[in-house]
Amino acid sequence: QVQLVESGGGLVQAGGSLRLSCAASGNIFSLTTMAWYRQAPGKQRELVAEMITGDNINYADAAKGRFTISRDNAKNTVYLQMNSLKPEDTAVYSCNVKGSSGRNYFSRQSFNSWGQGTQVTVSS
């Protein structure tokens, strides 16, 4: 099993910045996708940014130019740097990581893990 621990959320004024962190732990063999989603009250969960094997990166239009996704492979950690925050960015942000786990070939299996979410609130 792969566990995700998120941190970095909080309250910030419009125009401010936050950096979210998501650390993955467990018997990780490989990571194929690391992504950040968010869900605002009364709205569906949406993809904010994702990093796919080969370092292909996709951003939601609302995040493009303001948010940056990155990772530290040595720490199995993915980050979301959020600048120029707006009140409409207020949401619960969740980390999603996909890959393969297992100490050896015979125990290997795919995983799709989610963090518990961290609240980001942007005041006007």
Side-chain angles (χ1 to χ4, degrees):
Q1 186 177 4
V2 175
Q3 296 82 39
L4 306 181
V5 179
E6 299 153 319
S7 62
L11 175 64
V12 65
Q13 289 187 330
S17 299
L18 287 173
R19 189 177 78 155
L20 306 182
S21 299
C22 174
S25 62
N27 296 322
I28 300 171
F29 175 73
S30 65
L31 299 173
T32 58
T33 302
M34 307 181 80
W36 288 97
Y37 290 78
R38 70 184 182 186
Q39 186 168 24
K43 299 182 67 176
Q44 291 184 285
R45 185 174 63 189
E46 64 176 346
L47 176 67
V48 179
E50 64 177 358
M51 179 177 290
I52 306 171
T53 51
D55 289 331
N56 295 309
I57 299 174
N58 298 311
Y59 292 100
D61 288 341
K64 197 171 300 181
R66 299 187 298 123
F67 295 2
T68 303
I69 188 171
S70 62
R71 67 184 180 189
D72 185 332
N73 292 332
K75 298 180 179 179
N76 284 328
T77 300
V78 62
Y79 305 94
L80 184 67
Q81 178 67 46
M82 304 186 292
N83 298 324
S84 302
L85 284 163
K86 306 173 182 179
E88 50 263 43
D89 294 319
T90 296
V92 174
Y93 286 71
S94 300
C95 179
N96 174 235
V97 178
K98 301 176 183 176
S100 297
S101 61
R103 293 184 177 182
N104 55 64
Y105 173 83
F106 304 101
S107 63
R108 198 141 298 146
Q109 59 183 334
S110 63
F111 70 88
N112 183 352
S113 297
W114 289 86
Q116 294 300 308
T118 183
Q119 177 70 48
V120 171
T121 302
V122 184
S123 62
S124 60

